Amino acid sequence: MDPPQEGRLVPTDGVVEDGASAVDESMLTGESVPVEKTTGSTVTGATVNASGVLVVRATAVGAETALSQIVKLVADAQAGKGEAQRLADRISAVFVPVVLVLALLTFAGWTVVAGDPVGGLVAAVAVLIIACPCALGLATPTAIMVGTGRGADLGILIKGVEVLERTRTITTVVFDKTGTLTTGRMSLTDVQAAATTEEELLRRVGAVEADSEHPIGQAITTAARSRVGTLPAAGDFEALAGHGVRADVDGATVWVGRRKLLAEAGLILAEDLDDRARALESAGKTAVFAGWEGEVRGVLAVADTVKDDAAAIVDRLHDMGLTVAMITGDNARTAQAVADSVGIDRVMAEVLPSDKQSEVQRLQAQGEVVAMVGDGVNDAPALVQADLGIAIGTGTDVAIESSDLTLMRGDLAGVATAIQLSRRTYRTILQNLGWAFGYNTLAIPLAALGLLNPIIAGAAMAFSSVSVVTNSLRLRRFGKGRTAT
Protein backbone atom coordinates (compact mmCIF):
# COMPACT_ATOMS: atom_id res chain seq x y z
CA MET A 1 0.00 0.00 0.00
CA ASP A 2 1.01 3.68 -0.22
CA PRO A 3 3.15 4.66 2.78
CA PRO A 4 1.07 6.34 5.53
CA GLN A 5 2.39 9.91 5.71
CA GLU A 6 2.73 11.89 8.92
CA GLY A 7 -0.67 12.93 10.30
CA ARG A 8 -2.65 10.61 8.04
CA LEU A 9 -4.74 7.55 8.80
CA VAL A 10 -3.24 4.11 8.30
CA PRO A 11 -5.32 2.70 5.38
CA THR A 12 -5.69 -0.88 6.63
CA ASP A 13 -4.23 -3.50 8.97
CA GLY A 14 -0.68 -4.49 8.18
CA VAL A 15 2.95 -5.04 9.17
CA VAL A 16 5.66 -2.36 8.96
CA GLU A 17 8.20 -3.26 6.29
CA ASP A 18 10.32 -0.12 6.59
CA GLY A 19 10.43 3.13 8.55
CA ALA A 20 9.77 4.20 12.11
CA SER A 21 7.05 6.35 13.61
CA ALA A 22 4.71 6.90 16.54
CA VAL A 23 1.12 5.80 15.85
CA ASP A 24 -1.88 7.09 17.78
CA GLU A 25 -3.96 3.99 18.52
CA SER A 26 -6.32 5.60 21.07
CA MET A 27 -9.25 5.13 18.70
CA LEU A 28 -8.92 1.37 19.20
CA THR A 29 -7.03 0.73 22.42
CA GLY A 30 -7.81 3.79 24.53
CA GLU A 31 -4.06 4.26 25.16
CA SER A 32 -3.49 8.02 24.97
CA VAL A 33 0.28 7.83 24.40
CA PRO A 34 1.23 7.09 20.76
CA VAL A 35 2.86 3.68 20.24
CA GLU A 36 6.27 3.53 18.61
CA LYS A 37 6.32 1.42 15.41
CA THR A 38 9.39 0.04 13.66
CA THR A 39 10.10 -2.71 11.14
CA GLY A 40 8.07 -5.80 12.04
CA SER A 41 5.47 -3.95 14.14
CA THR A 42 1.79 -4.42 13.38
CA VAL A 43 -0.41 -1.42 12.59
CA THR A 44 -4.18 -1.16 12.52
CA GLY A 45 -6.32 0.54 9.91
CA ALA A 46 -7.88 3.92 10.88
CA THR A 47 -5.18 4.67 13.48
CA VAL A 48 -3.19 7.89 13.01
CA ASN A 49 0.45 8.09 11.98
CA ALA A 50 1.69 10.83 14.31
CA SER A 51 5.24 11.24 12.99
CA GLY A 52 7.54 9.78 10.36
CA VAL A 53 6.85 7.63 7.30
CA LEU A 54 5.98 3.92 7.36
CA VAL A 55 6.03 1.37 4.55
CA VAL A 56 3.35 -1.14 5.44
CA ARG A 57 2.42 -4.52 3.96
CA ALA A 58 -1.33 -5.09 4.18
CA THR A 59 -2.38 -8.19 6.10
CA ALA A 60 -6.15 -7.63 6.29
CA VAL A 61 -8.61 -5.62 4.24
CA GLY A 62 -12.34 -4.97 4.22
CA ALA A 63 -14.36 -7.11 6.62
CA GLU A 64 -11.21 -8.71 8.03
CA THR A 65 -9.77 -5.53 9.56
CA ALA A 66 -9.89 -4.81 13.29
CA LEU A 67 -12.27 -1.87 12.76
CA SER A 68 -14.69 -4.03 10.77
CA GLN A 69 -14.59 -6.66 13.50
CA ILE A 70 -15.61 -4.01 16.04
CA VAL A 71 -18.53 -2.99 13.82
CA LYS A 72 -19.56 -6.66 13.67
CA LEU A 73 -19.38 -6.91 17.47
CA VAL A 74 -21.73 -3.93 17.73
CA ALA A 75 -24.20 -5.48 15.28
CA ASP A 76 -24.10 -8.85 17.07
CA ALA A 77 -24.65 -7.25 20.47
CA GLN A 78 -27.58 -5.22 19.15
CA ALA A 79 -29.19 -8.32 17.66
CA GLY A 80 -28.81 -10.19 20.94
CA LYS A 81 -30.48 -7.57 23.16
CA GLY A 82 -34.27 -8.10 23.54
CA GLU A 83 -36.47 -5.00 23.80
CA ALA A 84 -38.64 -4.58 26.88
CA GLN A 85 -42.35 -4.12 26.31
CA ARG A 86 -43.90 -0.88 27.44
CA LEU A 87 -45.43 -1.12 30.86
CA ALA A 88 -48.61 0.65 29.75
CA ASP A 89 -49.14 -1.83 26.90
CA ARG A 90 -48.87 -4.77 29.28
CA ILE A 91 -51.52 -3.32 31.58
CA SER A 92 -53.84 -2.20 28.76
CA ALA A 93 -53.70 -5.61 27.10
CA VAL A 94 -55.45 -7.04 30.17
CA PHE A 95 -57.41 -4.02 31.37
CA VAL A 96 -59.42 -3.17 28.23
CA PRO A 97 -60.91 -6.66 27.65
CA VAL A 98 -61.77 -6.90 31.37
CA VAL A 99 -63.66 -3.58 31.24
CA LEU A 100 -65.66 -4.70 28.20
CA VAL A 101 -66.62 -7.90 29.99
CA LEU A 102 -67.60 -5.95 33.12
CA ALA A 103 -69.83 -3.60 31.05
CA LEU A 104 -71.63 -6.60 29.51
CA LEU A 105 -72.00 -8.22 32.93
CA THR A 106 -73.38 -4.95 34.35
CA PHE A 107 -76.02 -4.73 31.62
CA ALA A 108 -76.87 -8.41 32.01
CA GLY A 109 -77.09 -8.13 35.80
CA TRP A 110 -79.42 -5.13 35.73
CA THR A 111 -81.58 -6.74 33.03
CA VAL A 112 -81.82 -10.23 34.56
CA VAL A 113 -81.68 -9.52 38.29
CA ALA A 114 -83.25 -6.05 38.56
CA GLY A 115 -85.42 -6.34 35.48
CA ASP A 116 -84.34 -2.86 34.37
CA PRO A 117 -82.59 -2.99 30.97
CA VAL A 118 -82.65 0.82 30.64
CA GLY A 119 -80.93 1.22 33.99
CA GLY A 120 -78.55 -1.54 32.95
CA LEU A 121 -77.70 0.28 29.74
CA VAL A 122 -77.03 3.53 31.64
CA ALA A 123 -74.86 1.69 34.18
CA ALA A 124 -72.96 -0.16 31.42
CA VAL A 125 -72.28 3.12 29.58
CA ALA A 126 -71.10 4.67 32.87
CA VAL A 127 -68.72 1.71 33.34
CA LEU A 128 -67.28 2.20 29.84
CA ILE A 129 -66.88 5.96 30.34
CA ILE A 130 -65.36 5.79 33.81
CA ALA A 131 -63.02 3.02 32.68
CA CYS A 132 -62.03 4.76 29.44
CA PRO A 133 -58.24 4.22 29.42
CA CYS A 134 -57.43 7.81 28.43
CA ALA A 135 -55.40 8.36 31.60
CA LEU A 136 -53.81 4.95 31.18
CA GLY A 137 -52.86 5.83 27.60
CA LEU A 138 -51.49 9.22 28.64
CA ALA A 139 -49.52 7.89 31.63
CA THR A 140 -46.42 6.82 29.71
CA PRO A 141 -46.20 9.17 26.68
CA THR A 142 -46.76 12.37 28.68
CA ALA A 143 -44.04 11.49 31.18
CA ILE A 144 -41.70 10.45 28.35
CA MET A 145 -42.40 13.67 26.44
CA VAL A 146 -41.81 15.93 29.42
CA GLY A 147 -38.87 13.90 30.75
CA THR A 148 -37.05 13.73 27.43
CA GLY A 149 -37.81 17.39 26.79
CA ARG A 150 -36.29 18.35 30.12
CA GLY A 151 -33.37 16.06 29.34
CA ALA A 152 -32.81 17.89 26.06
CA ASP A 153 -32.77 21.18 27.98
CA LEU A 154 -30.02 19.69 30.16
CA GLY A 155 -28.11 18.25 27.18
CA ILE A 156 -29.29 14.65 27.73
CA LEU A 157 -30.87 12.66 24.90
CA ILE A 158 -32.94 9.63 26.03
CA LYS A 159 -33.77 7.14 23.28
CA GLY A 160 -36.89 5.47 24.71
CA VAL A 161 -38.92 4.22 27.63
CA GLU A 162 -36.98 0.93 27.66
CA VAL A 163 -33.95 2.98 28.69
CA LEU A 164 -35.84 4.35 31.68
CA GLU A 165 -36.92 0.88 32.74
CA ARG A 166 -33.33 -0.35 32.76
CA THR A 167 -31.91 2.73 34.46
CA ARG A 168 -33.82 2.24 37.71
CA THR A 169 -31.93 -0.99 38.49
CA ILE A 170 -28.37 0.14 37.64
CA THR A 171 -25.85 -0.98 40.28
CA THR A 172 -22.48 -0.31 38.59
CA VAL A 173 -21.29 2.54 36.37
CA VAL A 174 -18.25 1.70 34.20
CA PHE A 175 -16.26 4.60 32.72
CA ASP A 176 -13.90 4.39 29.79
CA LYS A 177 -10.76 6.31 30.73
CA THR A 178 -9.34 8.11 27.73
CA GLY A 179 -11.52 10.98 26.60
CA THR A 180 -14.19 10.21 29.18
CA LEU A 181 -12.61 10.49 32.62
CA THR A 182 -9.58 12.22 31.11
CA THR A 183 -9.26 15.03 28.58
CA GLY A 184 -7.77 12.73 25.94
CA ARG A 185 -4.93 15.20 25.38
CA MET A 186 -1.35 15.05 26.64
CA SER A 187 -0.21 17.91 28.86
CA LEU A 188 2.85 18.76 30.94
CA THR A 189 2.30 17.90 34.61
CA ASP A 190 5.74 18.05 36.28
CA VAL A 191 9.13 19.68 35.73
CA GLN A 192 12.10 18.35 37.71
CA ALA A 193 15.33 20.29 37.10
CA ALA A 194 18.90 19.38 38.08
CA ALA A 195 22.02 21.52 37.58
CA THR A 196 19.82 24.18 35.94
CA THR A 197 16.62 26.12 36.60
CA GLU A 198 13.13 24.99 35.64
CA GLU A 199 12.80 28.05 33.40
CA GLU A 200 16.01 27.27 31.53
CA LEU A 201 15.05 23.61 31.22
CA LEU A 202 11.66 24.48 29.75
CA ARG A 203 13.22 27.13 27.50
CA ARG A 204 15.68 24.73 25.87
CA VAL A 205 13.45 21.65 25.74
CA GLY A 206 10.55 23.69 24.36
CA ALA A 207 12.82 25.04 21.63
CA VAL A 208 13.95 21.54 20.62
CA GLU A 209 10.43 20.10 20.60
CA ALA A 210 9.01 23.08 18.66
CA ASP A 211 9.77 21.26 15.41
CA SER A 212 8.46 17.92 16.63
CA GLU A 213 5.12 16.50 15.46
CA HIS A 214 4.94 14.02 18.34
CA PRO A 215 2.00 14.72 20.73
CA ILE A 216 4.33 14.58 23.74
CA GLY A 217 6.69 17.08 22.17
CA GLN A 218 3.83 19.37 21.26
CA ALA A 219 2.51 19.25 24.84
CA ILE A 220 5.92 20.24 26.19
CA THR A 221 6.34 23.10 23.71
CA THR A 222 2.86 24.45 24.45
CA ALA A 223 3.58 24.45 28.18
CA ALA A 224 7.02 25.99 27.68
CA ARG A 225 5.63 28.89 25.63
CA SER A 226 2.95 29.43 28.25
CA ARG A 227 5.43 29.58 31.13
CA VAL A 228 8.55 31.24 29.70
CA GLY A 229 7.25 33.07 26.64
CA THR A 230 9.20 33.24 23.38
CA LEU A 231 11.50 30.27 22.76
CA PRO A 232 14.95 30.47 21.17
CA ALA A 233 15.58 29.12 17.71
CA ALA A 234 16.82 25.56 17.41
CA GLY A 235 19.16 24.39 14.67
CA ASP A 236 20.26 21.06 13.23
CA PHE A 237 17.03 19.38 14.43
CA GLU A 238 16.89 15.59 14.19
CA ALA A 239 14.03 13.28 15.17
CA LEU A 240 15.22 9.88 16.37
CA ALA A 241 12.10 7.78 15.84
CA GLY A 242 11.17 5.76 18.87
CA HIS A 243 13.76 7.43 21.08
CA GLY A 244 13.47 11.24 21.04
CA VAL A 245 14.89 14.34 19.37
CA ARG A 246 18.03 16.45 19.37
CA ALA A 247 18.83 20.00 18.24
CA ASP A 248 21.30 22.80 18.85
CA VAL A 249 20.12 25.56 21.20
CA ASP A 250 22.34 28.44 22.33
CA GLY A 251 25.42 26.70 20.97
CA ALA A 252 24.82 23.42 22.81
CA THR A 253 23.37 20.15 21.56
CA VAL A 254 20.23 19.42 23.59
CA TRP A 255 18.99 15.83 23.77
CA VAL A 256 15.34 15.14 24.67
CA GLY A 257 13.76 11.71 24.93
CA ARG A 258 13.98 8.36 26.61
CA ARG A 259 16.43 7.44 29.34
CA LYS A 260 18.24 5.12 26.90
CA LEU A 261 18.76 7.88 24.29
CA LEU A 262 20.52 10.18 26.72
CA ALA A 263 22.66 7.32 28.05
CA GLU A 264 23.78 6.46 24.51
CA ALA A 265 24.59 10.14 23.95
CA GLY A 266 26.97 9.97 26.92
CA LEU A 267 24.97 12.17 29.28
CA ILE A 268 25.29 11.35 32.98
CA LEU A 269 22.05 10.84 34.93
CA ALA A 270 22.29 11.73 38.63
CA GLU A 271 20.87 9.12 41.00
CA ASP A 272 18.58 11.63 42.69
CA LEU A 273 17.08 12.72 39.37
CA ASP A 274 16.66 9.10 38.32
CA ASP A 275 14.71 8.41 41.53
CA ARG A 276 12.46 11.39 40.87
CA ALA A 277 11.84 10.15 37.33
CA ARG A 278 10.90 6.67 38.54
CA ALA A 279 8.47 8.20 41.03
CA LEU A 280 6.78 10.07 38.18
CA GLU A 281 6.59 6.88 36.13
CA SER A 282 5.11 5.03 39.10
CA ALA A 283 2.35 7.64 39.14
CA GLY A 284 1.43 6.61 35.60
CA LYS A 285 3.12 9.54 33.85
CA THR A 286 5.47 9.50 30.89
CA ALA A 287 8.95 10.73 31.84
CA VAL A 288 10.92 12.71 29.24
CA PHE A 289 14.62 13.25 29.94
CA ALA A 290 16.58 16.29 28.74
CA GLY A 291 20.24 17.14 28.89
CA TRP A 292 23.20 18.94 27.37
CA GLU A 293 26.92 19.37 27.92
CA GLY A 294 27.44 15.90 29.34
CA GLU A 295 24.66 15.91 31.96
CA VAL A 296 20.96 15.08 32.18
CA ARG A 297 19.57 18.42 33.28
CA GLY A 298 16.02 17.48 34.11
CA VAL A 299 12.95 15.32 33.71
CA LEU A 300 9.60 16.48 32.40
CA ALA A 301 6.44 14.42 32.95
CA VAL A 302 3.45 14.42 30.62
CA ALA A 303 0.15 12.66 31.05
CA ASP A 304 -3.42 12.52 29.85
CA THR A 305 -4.90 14.63 32.64
CA VAL A 306 -8.09 13.83 34.52
CA LYS A 307 -11.08 16.11 33.89
CA ASP A 308 -11.63 18.70 36.60
CA ASP A 309 -15.04 17.39 37.64
CA ALA A 310 -14.22 13.66 37.55
CA ALA A 311 -13.69 13.20 41.30
CA ALA A 312 -16.86 15.14 42.18
CA ILE A 313 -18.95 13.06 39.77
CA VAL A 314 -17.59 9.80 41.17
CA ASP A 315 -18.51 11.00 44.68
CA ARG A 316 -21.99 11.90 43.44
CA LEU A 317 -22.48 8.42 41.98
CA HIS A 318 -21.30 6.88 45.27
CA ASP A 319 -23.91 8.99 47.07
CA MET A 320 -26.52 7.45 44.77
CA GLY A 321 -25.47 4.00 46.01
CA LEU A 322 -23.65 3.02 42.80
CA THR A 323 -20.34 1.22 42.38
CA VAL A 324 -17.95 3.00 39.99
CA ALA A 325 -15.48 1.11 37.78
CA MET A 326 -13.02 2.12 35.06
CA ILE A 327 -12.07 0.19 31.94
CA THR A 328 -9.12 1.12 29.74
CA GLY A 329 -6.50 -0.11 27.31
CA ASP A 330 -3.83 1.70 29.33
CA ASN A 331 -1.26 -0.19 31.40
CA ALA A 332 -2.26 -1.17 34.93
CA ARG A 333 0.02 1.37 36.65
CA THR A 334 -1.35 4.35 34.72
CA ALA A 335 -4.92 3.14 35.15
CA GLN A 336 -4.57 2.65 38.89
CA ALA A 337 -3.05 6.11 39.31
CA VAL A 338 -6.04 7.70 37.56
CA ALA A 339 -8.49 5.57 39.57
CA ASP A 340 -6.86 6.53 42.87
CA SER A 341 -6.99 10.22 41.99
CA VAL A 342 -10.78 10.22 41.52
CA GLY A 343 -11.86 7.51 43.98
CA ILE A 344 -12.90 4.75 41.58
CA ASP A 345 -13.75 1.40 43.21
CA ARG A 346 -12.65 -1.06 40.53
CA VAL A 347 -10.08 -0.95 37.71
CA MET A 348 -9.99 -3.06 34.54
CA ALA A 349 -6.73 -2.23 32.74
CA GLU A 350 -4.95 -3.40 29.56
CA VAL A 351 -8.30 -4.35 28.05
CA LEU A 352 -8.51 -4.68 24.26
CA PRO A 353 -11.58 -3.36 22.38
CA SER A 354 -13.17 -6.79 21.94
CA ASP A 355 -12.47 -7.58 25.60
CA LYS A 356 -14.31 -4.49 26.84
CA GLN A 357 -17.55 -6.13 25.83
CA SER A 358 -16.45 -9.33 27.58
CA GLU A 359 -15.63 -7.40 30.77
CA VAL A 360 -19.12 -5.91 30.79
CA GLN A 361 -20.57 -9.40 30.27
CA ARG A 362 -18.49 -10.69 33.16
CA LEU A 363 -19.87 -7.99 35.47
CA GLN A 364 -23.40 -8.83 34.36
CA ALA A 365 -22.74 -12.52 35.04
CA GLN A 366 -21.83 -11.52 38.60
CA GLY A 367 -25.29 -10.03 39.03
CA GLU A 368 -24.39 -6.39 38.35
CA VAL A 369 -26.68 -4.16 36.29
CA VAL A 370 -24.15 -2.16 34.29
CA ALA A 371 -24.14 1.35 32.84
CA MET A 372 -21.22 1.93 30.46
CA VAL A 373 -19.92 5.46 29.74
CA GLY A 374 -17.69 5.90 26.70
CA ASP A 375 -16.90 8.07 23.71
CA GLY A 376 -14.83 6.11 21.20
CA VAL A 377 -15.22 3.50 18.47
CA ASN A 378 -13.50 1.06 20.80
CA ASP A 379 -16.28 1.58 23.37
CA ALA A 380 -19.17 0.80 21.02
CA PRO A 381 -19.47 -2.98 21.65
CA ALA A 382 -19.41 -2.42 25.42
CA LEU A 383 -21.97 0.39 25.16
CA VAL A 384 -24.36 -1.95 23.37
CA GLN A 385 -23.68 -4.88 25.70
CA ALA A 386 -24.27 -2.82 28.85
CA ASP A 387 -27.72 -2.61 30.38
CA LEU A 388 -27.43 1.15 29.86
CA GLY A 389 -25.05 2.71 27.34
CA ILE A 390 -24.14 6.37 27.91
CA ALA A 391 -22.17 8.15 25.17
CA ILE A 392 -20.32 11.43 25.52
CA GLY A 393 -21.69 13.66 22.74
CA THR A 394 -18.22 14.95 21.88
CA GLY A 395 -17.20 11.37 21.01
CA THR A 396 -17.54 9.36 17.81
CA ASP A 397 -20.76 8.82 15.85
CA VAL A 398 -20.40 5.05 16.33
CA ALA A 399 -20.40 5.43 20.13
CA ILE A 400 -23.40 7.78 20.06
CA GLU A 401 -25.34 5.43 17.78
CA SER A 402 -24.58 2.49 20.08
CA SER A 403 -25.75 4.21 23.25
CA ASP A 404 -29.08 4.51 25.06
CA LEU A 405 -28.34 7.96 26.50
CA THR A 406 -26.22 10.67 24.89
CA LEU A 407 -24.68 13.56 26.83
CA MET A 408 -24.53 16.34 24.28
CA ARG A 409 -22.52 18.75 26.47
CA GLY A 410 -19.69 16.31 27.00
CA ASP A 411 -19.27 16.97 30.74
CA LEU A 412 -19.29 14.12 33.24
CA ALA A 413 -21.91 15.78 35.44
CA GLY A 414 -24.42 14.63 32.85
CA VAL A 415 -23.84 10.98 33.81
CA ALA A 416 -25.34 11.31 37.28
CA THR A 417 -27.95 13.78 36.05
CA ALA A 418 -29.01 11.41 33.26
CA ILE A 419 -29.45 8.50 35.67
CA GLN A 420 -31.38 10.69 38.11
CA LEU A 421 -33.64 12.08 35.37
CA SER A 422 -34.29 8.61 33.97
CA ARG A 423 -35.21 7.30 37.40
CA ARG A 424 -37.44 10.29 38.12
CA THR A 425 -39.19 9.94 34.75
CA TYR A 426 -39.77 6.22 35.24
CA ARG A 427 -41.07 6.86 38.74
CA THR A 428 -43.48 9.42 37.29
CA ILE A 429 -44.71 6.82 34.79
CA LEU A 430 -45.38 4.39 37.62
CA GLN A 431 -47.22 7.11 39.58
CA ASN A 432 -49.36 7.91 36.52
CA LEU A 433 -50.17 4.26 35.89
CA GLY A 434 -50.91 3.65 39.57
CA TRP A 435 -53.29 6.62 39.70
CA ALA A 436 -55.03 5.75 36.42
CA PHE A 437 -55.40 2.07 37.22
CA GLY A 438 -56.34 2.68 40.87
CA TYR A 439 -58.90 5.33 39.93
CA ASN A 440 -60.55 2.97 37.46
CA THR A 441 -60.48 0.06 39.89
CA LEU A 442 -62.31 2.10 42.56
CA ALA A 443 -64.76 3.90 40.24
CA ILE A 444 -65.90 0.93 38.12
CA PRO A 445 -67.83 -0.77 40.98
CA LEU A 446 -69.63 2.52 41.72
CA ALA A 447 -70.62 2.87 38.08
CA ALA A 448 -71.73 -0.78 37.87
CA LEU A 449 -74.00 -0.28 40.90
CA GLY A 450 -75.64 2.73 39.28
CA LEU A 451 -74.14 5.24 41.72
CA LEU A 452 -72.46 7.24 38.93
CA ASN A 453 -74.37 8.51 35.93
CA PRO A 454 -72.55 8.89 32.59
CA ILE A 455 -72.19 12.69 32.92
CA ILE A 456 -70.42 12.45 36.28
CA ALA A 457 -68.38 9.52 34.97
CA GLY A 458 -67.27 11.63 32.00
CA ALA A 459 -66.17 14.47 34.28
CA ALA A 460 -64.28 12.07 36.54
CA MET A 461 -62.57 10.48 33.54
CA ALA A 462 -61.45 13.90 32.30
CA PHE A 463 -60.19 14.80 35.78
CA SER A 464 -58.12 11.59 35.83
CA SER A 465 -56.49 12.51 32.51
CA VAL A 466 -55.73 16.07 33.67
CA SER A 467 -54.20 14.67 36.87
CA VAL A 468 -51.86 12.42 34.90
CA VAL A 469 -50.74 15.27 32.63
CA THR A 470 -50.22 17.60 35.60
CA ASN A 471 -48.11 15.01 37.40
CA SER A 472 -45.97 14.55 34.29
CA LEU A 473 -45.44 18.31 33.99
CA ARG A 474 -43.75 18.27 37.40
CA LEU A 475 -40.70 16.84 35.58
CA ARG A 476 -40.14 20.30 34.09
CA ARG A 477 -38.83 21.31 37.51
CA PHE A 478 -36.15 18.61 37.51
CA GLY A 479 -32.70 20.06 38.07
CA LYS A 480 -33.96 23.46 39.18
CA GLY A 481 -33.77 22.52 42.83
CA ARG A 482 -32.67 19.51 44.80
CA THR A 483 -33.52 16.32 42.88
CA ALA A 484 -34.08 12.86 44.20
CA THR A 485 -31.85 10.07 43.16
Side-chain angles (χ1 to χ4, degrees):
M1 74 175 79
D2 291 336
Q5 302 293 318
E6 182 178 304
R8 295 183 181 177
L9 297 178
V10 177
T12 191
D13 296 1
V15 176
V16 177
E17 294 286 313
D18 187 30
S21 180
V23 176
D24 181 358
E25 295 185 336
S26 60
M27 183 271 292
L28 282 173
T29 65
E31 173 66 65
S32 53
V33 180
V35 179
E36 301 295 340
K37 301 291 184 179
T38 57
T39 302
S41 300
T42 59
V43 292
T44 305
T47 54
V48 180
N49 181 23
S51 62
V53 177
L54 297 173
V55 177
V56 178
R57 174 172 52 85
T59 57
V61 295
E64 300 300 319
T65 63
L67 184 59
S68 295
Q69 292 300 312
I70 289 177
V71 173
K72 183 177 183 299
L73 284 170
V74 173
D76 290 346
Q78 286 176 329
K81 178 184 286 187
E83 295 186 4
Q85 292 182 321
R86 294 181 181 271
L87 188 56
D89 291 342
R90 293 200 297 267
I91 295 175
S92 295
V94 176
F95 182 73
V96 173
V98 168
V99 168
L100 292 174
V101 171
L102 287 175
L104 291 174
L105 291 176
T106 298
F107 177 75
W110 277 77
T111 302
V112 175
V113 177
D116 184 2
V118 175
L121 180 60
V122 172
V125 170
V127 168
L128 291 174
I129 292 175
I130 202 70
C132 180
C134 291
L136 201 59
L138 290 170
T140 298
T142 55
I144 292 294
M145 181 179 66
V146 178
T148 54
R150 181 56 184 157
D153 291 341
L154 298 172
I156 301 165
L157 300 184
I158 304 171
K159 294 188 177 179
V161 67
E162 296 86 357
V163 175
L164 307 178
E165 293 181 33
R166 294 195 297 270
T167 301
R168 76 188 194 280
T169 58
I170 293 297
T171 60
T172 298
V173 178
V174 179
F175 285 94
D176 171 59
K177 183 184 81 69
T178 305
T180 303
L181 281 175
T182 65
T183 61
R185 300 183 301 273
M186 303 300 290
S187 59
L188 184 68
T189 60
D190 299 89
V191 179
Q192 300 287 336
T196 188
T197 64
E198 287 189 8
E199 182 177 324
E200 181 64 17
L201 179 64
L202 279 171
R203 180 175 169 275
R204 295 201 182 206
V205 174
V208 173
E209 293 285 16
D211 293 324
S212 173
E213 294 296 331
H214 198 288
I216 291 178
Q218 292 176 342
I220 292 174
T221 298
T222 299
R225 285 183 174 137
S226 174
R227 297 188 190 185
V228 302
T230 304
L231 302 176
D236 197 21
F237 174 84
E238 181 181 4
L240 306 167
H243 298 284
V245 294
R246 58 165 294 280
D248 292 339
V249 179
D250 294 341
T253 300
V254 180
W255 299 79
V256 182
R258 297 177 182 268
R259 183 186 277 104
K260 181 180 179 181
L261 172 66
L262 274 69
E264 291 176 348
L267 276 65
I268 298 173
L269 175 60
E271 184 177 347
D272 174 62
L273 188 59
D274 189 33
D275 290 340
R276 282 186 275 171
R278 294 187 187 280
L280 293 171
E281 291 171 332
S282 297
K285 301 174 182 180
T286 299
V288 179
F289 295 82
W292 57 89
E293 296 178 347
E295 290 184 65
V296 177
R297 303 284 179 162
V299 177
L300 302 94
V302 295
D304 181 7
T305 53
V306 174
K307 291 181 177 178
D308 294 337
D309 59 347
I313 297 308
V314 171
D315 287 342
R316 186 174 167 189
L317 292 171
H318 284 155
D319 292 340
M320 294 167 61
L322 300 172
T323 300
V324 183
M326 184 180 75
I327 189 167
T328 178
D330 275 356
N331 63 75
R333 185 171 60 185
T334 299
Q336 191 61 55
V338 172
D340 290 342
S341 69
V342 298
I344 283 175
D345 305 306
R346 182 171 183 173
V347 178
M348 293 165 278
E350 301 179 23
V351 180
L352 297 176
S354 58
D355 293 335
K356 287 188 177 183
Q357 181 184 8
S358 300
E359 289 293 331
V360 171
Q361 286 178 320
R362 186 163 61 85
L363 288 173
Q364 291 170 326
Q366 295 171 1
E368 301 291 339
V369 183
V370 180
M372 173 71 192
V373 186
D375 70 330
V377 172
N378 59 319
D379 302 320
L383 286 169
V384 177
Q385 178 63 44
D387 300 282
L388 178 69
I390 303 176
I392 304 297
T394 52
T396 64
D397 291 341
V398 174
I400 293 172
E401 182 65 26
S402 303
S403 67
D404 301 306
L405 292 173
T406 301
L407 309 179
M408 300 309 297
R409 295 179 183 173
D411 60 290
L412 292 180
V415 175
T417 301
I419 293 175
Q420 289 178 327
L421 176 59
S422 296
R423 289 179 172 181
R424 174 69 70 84
T425 304
Y426 189 75
R427 187 159 65 244
T428 300
I429 292 173
L430 294 182
Q431 291 169 352
N432 289 346
L433 291 172
W435 164 253
F437 188 70
Y439 151 83
N440 286 324
T441 301
L442 293 174
I444 286 173
L446 298 177
L449 293 173
L451 299 178
L452 291 176
N453 65 48
I455 296 176
I456 296 176
M461 181 269 292
F463 173 75
S464 176
S465 298
V466 170
S467 298
V468 165
V469 173
T470 302
N471 188 50
S472 296
L473 288 173
R474 291 172 58 240
L475 287 169
R476 293 294 302 167
R477 299 175 55 195
F478 178 87
K480 294 182 179 179
R482 183 170 179 172
T483 59
T485 60

